[in-house]
Amino acid sequence: MNNAGSYICRPRIRSPQDEACCIKMVLEVKPKTNISHVCPHKKDLTLGSIGDIYCPSLDCQSDVQSPEVTWYQNGRLLSEERSNRIQLGEIYDFHQGTYVCDYTQSDNSSSWTVRAVVQVRTIVKDTHVKPDILEPIVDTLEVELGKPLTLYCTARFGFQKDFKPVLRWYSKDSNQQLEILTSEGRSVQSTFEDEIVKCAAHLKEVTQRDLRKTFICFAQNSIGNTTQSIQLKEKKGVVFLYVLLGTVMTLAGMLMAGALLYMYWIEIVLLYRTYQRKDETLGDKKEFDAFISYAKWSPIESEAGSSLSEETLALNLFPEVLENKYGYTLFLLERDMAPGGVYAEDIVNIIKKSRRGIFILSPNYVNGPSVFELQAAVNLALNDQTLKLILIKFCPFQEPESLPHLVKKALRVLPTITWRGLKSVPSNSRFWTQMRYHMPVKNSKGFT
């Protein structure tokens, strides 16, 4: 505080003719506060070049005249540097940072520490190319009329020490060029070598007039400018897309419904018959719902692929399910045929009195005498439309050469139900559902 006061500088007068010029300087000394604000000096160093740093208050003094200086980089003491200049050599990234230089200044009566701050930034050489537009990248943009729209203009600018980028949107209508009010460009990514800047143009509502305009993204630096034009196009594919999507979904629904109908058609028909309560047997003057024909001898029962024989199926299972549960009237030769008649005539008469003919096919059947019953039924069905024949494939077989031509043709065109062994035994199996589908419609108490 003793250094405060007025200082007067007056040169000596060597002769009476000399004029004296005095300079007065007032020095005010204030106590140091807790908050210190030092305005740093800034210095840019080009990567790859040779550079050095001077202590700002001593940069005009030679190394011989300058006092001893203490240097710090980012708070770290540089013990080897004691002069007012740091020779860095080739510049690298790690040279960037905050440098602080301290030295002691004194006069005859006192001394004090002088501190200066240098903010060093490592940079690359200024670019020599124009900006590169990153967005938009297409010439046309599909839009919806009446909807708001935001157009983005993004460009990459190479490094420049005095970086003053220009990025904006223009619209050109006929021969007039109008600037669009846009938000100011903002940096979205910055590196040593370049900087990406982005700006946006906002249209509150897309109109027909906008479709006739050309929108221009304009980017400029000190080297030159680059533009990218874009034309708005009305999006007509929206309605078409909805129509196409609706059509595809409708077709998919129809296919799925068709597949379900195909899989469960028999069940649907049976359900319809149940609620319709129609009886097609009324007034047809026939006694039996079905005549059952099977091989009367079966020496090798294992050929059927199960422990059940054709005779068991015909004499036990058919009456149990079709007669007892669903109320049909069946005719079985061994059970219902009166003895003493002529076999061929009796068969023909029974078939004429039946609405359906059920034929259990097996190797024993097609190679045995029972095939006569199928042949007789085919001949009768040609003249009687109320007589329908049902074939049951009890087990695989090969058609013998001696089989009548009419029977061979019938095996290819008549409805065939496959017996699947023990899986077909339960009354709720697929086999009995198919049988009910081909049987005549009856309004019976047992029919469910």
PDB file of all heavy atoms in Angstrom, residues 296-311:
ATOM      1  N   LYS A 296     -67.432-111.341 -46.152  1.00  0.00           N
ATOM      2  CA  LYS A 296     -67.988-112.268 -45.180  1.00  0.00           C
ATOM      3  C   LYS A 296     -66.943-113.209 -44.600  1.00  0.00           C
ATOM      4  O   LYS A 296     -67.219-113.911 -43.646  1.00  0.00           O
ATOM      5  CB  LYS A 296     -69.089-113.109 -45.850  1.00  0.00           C
ATOM      6  CG  LYS A 296     -70.166-112.290 -46.539  1.00  0.00           C
ATOM      7  CD  LYS A 296     -70.803-111.291 -45.583  1.00  0.00           C
ATOM      8  CE  LYS A 296     -71.927-110.520 -46.249  1.00  0.00           C
ATOM      9  NZ  LYS A 296     -71.445-109.641 -47.329  1.00  0.00           N
ATOM     10  N   TRP A 297     -65.749-113.172 -45.179  1.00  0.00           N
ATOM     11  CA  TRP A 297     -64.681-113.996 -44.606  1.00  0.00           C
ATOM     12  C   TRP A 297     -63.407-113.169 -44.575  1.00  0.00           C
ATOM     13  O   TRP A 297     -63.122-112.380 -45.456  1.00  0.00           O
ATOM     14  CB  TRP A 297     -64.499-115.283 -45.427  1.00  0.00           C
ATOM     15  CG  TRP A 297     -64.247-115.014 -46.902  1.00  0.00           C
ATOM     16  CD1 TRP A 297     -65.163-114.748 -47.843  1.00  0.00           C
ATOM     17  CD2 TRP A 297     -62.969-114.980 -47.542  1.00  0.00           C
ATOM     18  NE1 TRP A 297     -64.596-114.548 -49.064  1.00  0.00           N
ATOM     19  CE2 TRP A 297     -63.234-114.699 -48.911  1.00  0.00           C
ATOM     20  CE3 TRP A 297     -61.648-115.192 -47.122  1.00  0.00           C
ATOM     21  CZ2 TRP A 297     -62.229-114.594 -49.853  1.00  0.00           C
ATOM     22  CZ3 TRP A 297     -60.651-115.091 -48.073  1.00  0.00           C
ATOM     23  CH2 TRP A 297     -60.935-114.787 -49.419  1.00  0.00           C
ATOM     24  N   SER A 298     -62.661-113.311 -43.512  1.00  0.00           N
ATOM     25  CA  SER A 298     -61.467-112.495 -43.318  1.00  0.00           C
ATOM     26  C   SER A 298     -60.423-113.316 -42.594  1.00  0.00           C
ATOM     27  O   SER A 298     -60.279-113.243 -41.371  1.00  0.00           O
ATOM     28  CB  SER A 298     -61.806-111.243 -42.492  1.00  0.00           C
ATOM     29  OG  SER A 298     -60.649-110.466 -42.280  1.00  0.00           O
ATOM     30  N   PRO A 299     -59.669-114.175 -43.326  1.00  0.00           N
ATOM     31  CA  PRO A 299     -58.703-115.063 -42.679  1.00  0.00           C
ATOM     32  C   PRO A 299     -57.521-114.335 -42.035  1.00  0.00           C
ATOM     33  O   PRO A 299     -56.962-114.820 -41.077  1.00  0.00           O
ATOM     34  CB  PRO A 299     -58.237-115.954 -43.819  1.00  0.00           C
ATOM     35  CG  PRO A 299     -58.443-115.131 -45.059  1.00  0.00           C
ATOM     36  CD  PRO A 299     -59.669-114.311 -44.794  1.00  0.00           C
ATOM     37  N   ILE A 300     -57.160-113.188 -42.557  1.00  0.00           N
ATOM     38  CA  ILE A 300     -55.992-112.463 -41.987  1.00  0.00           C
ATOM     39  C   ILE A 300     -56.480-111.098 -41.502  1.00  0.00           C
ATOM     40  O   ILE A 300     -56.521-110.126 -42.248  1.00  0.00           O
ATOM     41  CB  ILE A 300     -54.868-112.303 -43.019  1.00  0.00           C
ATOM     42  CG1 ILE A 300     -54.487-113.664 -43.591  1.00  0.00           C
ATOM     43  CG2 ILE A 300     -53.662-111.649 -42.409  1.00  0.00           C
ATOM     44  CD1 ILE A 300     -53.434-113.588 -44.676  1.00  0.00           C
ATOM     45  N   GLU A 301     -56.887-111.019 -40.276  1.00  0.00           N
ATOM     46  CA  GLU A 301     -57.444-109.782 -39.743  1.00  0.00           C
ATOM     47  C   GLU A 301     -56.389-108.689 -39.571  1.00  0.00           C
ATOM     48  O   GLU A 301     -56.695-107.507 -39.536  1.00  0.00           O
ATOM     49  CB  GLU A 301     -58.129-110.058 -38.398  1.00  0.00           C
ATOM     50  CG  GLU A 301     -59.326-110.978 -38.515  1.00  0.00           C
ATOM     51  CD  GLU A 301     -60.032-111.148 -37.174  1.00  0.00           C
ATOM     52  OE1 GLU A 301     -59.521-110.589 -36.198  1.00  0.00           O
ATOM     53  OE2 GLU A 301     -61.059-111.822 -37.127  1.00  0.00           O
ATOM     54  N   SER A 302     -55.108-109.088 -39.461  1.00  0.00           N
ATOM     55  CA  SER A 302     -54.044-108.098 -39.237  1.00  0.00           C
ATOM     56  C   SER A 302     -53.854-107.190 -40.434  1.00  0.00           C
ATOM     57  O   SER A 302     -53.221-106.137 -40.336  1.00  0.00           O
ATOM     58  CB  SER A 302     -52.729-108.794 -38.904  1.00  0.00           C
ATOM     59  OG  SER A 302     -52.339-109.638 -39.975  1.00  0.00           O
ATOM     60  N   GLU A 303     -54.360-107.605 -41.613  1.00  0.00           N
ATOM     61  CA  GLU A 303     -54.214-106.763 -42.781  1.00  0.00           C
ATOM     62  C   GLU A 303     -54.935-105.434 -42.599  1.00  0.00           C
ATOM     63  O   GLU A 303     -54.627-104.452 -43.272  1.00  0.00           O
ATOM     64  CB  GLU A 303     -54.759-107.488 -44.012  1.00  0.00           C
ATOM     65  CG  GLU A 303     -53.913-108.681 -44.425  1.00  0.00           C
ATOM     66  CD  GLU A 303     -54.484-109.343 -45.677  1.00  0.00           C
ATOM     67  OE1 GLU A 303     -55.476-108.797 -46.209  1.00  0.00           O
ATOM     68  OE2 GLU A 303     -53.936-110.358 -46.118  1.00  0.00           O
ATOM     69  N   ALA A 304     -55.896-105.347 -41.727  1.00  0.00           N
ATOM     70  CA  ALA A 304     -56.638-104.111 -41.511  1.00  0.00           C
ATOM     71  C   ALA A 304     -55.836-103.084 -40.750  1.00  0.00           C
ATOM     72  O   ALA A 304     -56.235-101.936 -40.629  1.00  0.00           O
ATOM     73  CB  ALA A 304     -57.936-104.408 -40.757  1.00  0.00           C
ATOM     74  N   GLY A 305     -54.684-103.472 -40.235  1.00  0.00           N
ATOM     75  CA  GLY A 305     -53.844-102.521 -39.506  1.00  0.00           C
ATOM     76  C   GLY A 305     -54.309-102.272 -38.097  1.00  0.00           C
ATOM     77  O   GLY A 305     -53.862-101.352 -37.439  1.00  0.00           O
ATOM     78  N   SER A 306     -55.248-103.051 -37.577  1.00  0.00           N
ATOM     79  CA  SER A 306     -55.711-102.887 -36.197  1.00  0.00           C
ATOM     80  C   SER A 306     -56.256-104.220 -35.725  1.00  0.00           C
ATOM     81  O   SER A 306     -56.309-105.202 -36.452  1.00  0.00           O
ATOM     82  CB  SER A 306     -56.800-101.805 -36.139  1.00  0.00           C
ATOM     83  OG  SER A 306     -57.969-102.266 -36.780  1.00  0.00           O
ATOM     84  N   SER A 307     -56.712-104.256 -34.442  1.00  0.00           N
ATOM     85  CA  SER A 307     -57.262-105.487 -33.871  1.00  0.00           C
ATOM     86  C   SER A 307     -58.715-105.696 -34.275  1.00  0.00           C
ATOM     87  O   SER A 307     -59.312-106.707 -33.922  1.00  0.00           O
ATOM     88  CB  SER A 307     -57.152-105.439 -32.339  1.00  0.00           C
ATOM     89  OG  SER A 307     -57.875-104.318 -31.843  1.00  0.00           O
ATOM     90  N   LEU A 308     -59.306-104.730 -35.010  1.00  0.00           N
ATOM     91  CA  LEU A 308     -60.698-104.841 -35.428  1.00  0.00           C
ATOM     92  C   LEU A 308     -60.770-105.406 -36.839  1.00  0.00           C
ATOM     93  O   LEU A 308     -59.994-105.042 -37.717  1.00  0.00           O
ATOM     94  CB  LEU A 308     -61.366-103.464 -35.389  1.00  0.00           C
ATOM     95  CG  LEU A 308     -61.457-102.809 -34.007  1.00  0.00           C
ATOM     96  CD1 LEU A 308     -62.064-101.426 -34.131  1.00  0.00           C
ATOM     97  CD2 LEU A 308     -62.289-103.673 -33.065  1.00  0.00           C
ATOM     98  N   SER A 309     -61.739-106.261 -37.071  1.00  0.00           N
ATOM     99  CA  SER A 309     -61.950-106.827 -38.397  1.00  0.00           C
ATOM    100  C   SER A 309     -63.101-106.093 -39.090  1.00  0.00           C
ATOM    101  O   SER A 309     -63.838-105.313 -38.477  1.00  0.00           O
ATOM    102  CB  SER A 309     -62.267-108.322 -38.290  1.00  0.00           C
ATOM    103  OG  SER A 309     -63.514-108.498 -37.619  1.00  0.00           O
ATOM    104  N   GLU A 310     -63.256-106.354 -40.389  1.00  0.00           N
ATOM    105  CA  GLU A 310     -64.358-105.764 -41.143  1.00  0.00           C
ATOM    106  C   GLU A 310     -65.700-106.203 -40.563  1.00  0.00           C
ATOM    107  O   GLU A 310     -66.658-105.418 -40.489  1.00  0.00           O
ATOM    108  CB  GLU A 310     -64.259-106.202 -42.605  1.00  0.00           C
ATOM    109  CG  GLU A 310     -62.937-105.827 -43.261  1.00  0.00           C
ATOM    110  CD  GLU A 310     -62.615-106.736 -44.426  1.00  0.00           C
ATOM    111  OE1 GLU A 310     -63.208-106.558 -45.500  1.00  0.00           O
ATOM    112  OE2 GLU A 310     -61.769-107.630 -44.251  1.00  0.00           O
ATOM    113  N   GLU A 311     -65.748-107.455 -40.139  1.00  0.00           N
ATOM    114  CA  GLU A 311     -67.002-107.983 -39.590  1.00  0.00           C
ATOM    115  C   GLU A 311     -67.361-107.291 -38.284  1.00  0.00           C
ATOM    116  O   GLU A 311     -68.528-106.969 -38.031  1.00  0.00           O
ATOM    117  CB  GLU A 311     -66.867-109.496 -39.388  1.00  0.00           C
ATOM    118  CG  GLU A 311     -68.183-110.172 -39.049  1.00  0.00           C
ATOM    119  CD  GLU A 311     -68.065-111.676 -39.035  1.00  0.00           C
ATOM    120  OE1 GLU A 311     -66.916-112.181 -39.157  1.00  0.00           O
ATOM    121  OE2 GLU A 311     -69.099-112.338 -38.897  1.00  0.00           O
TER     122      GLU A 311
END
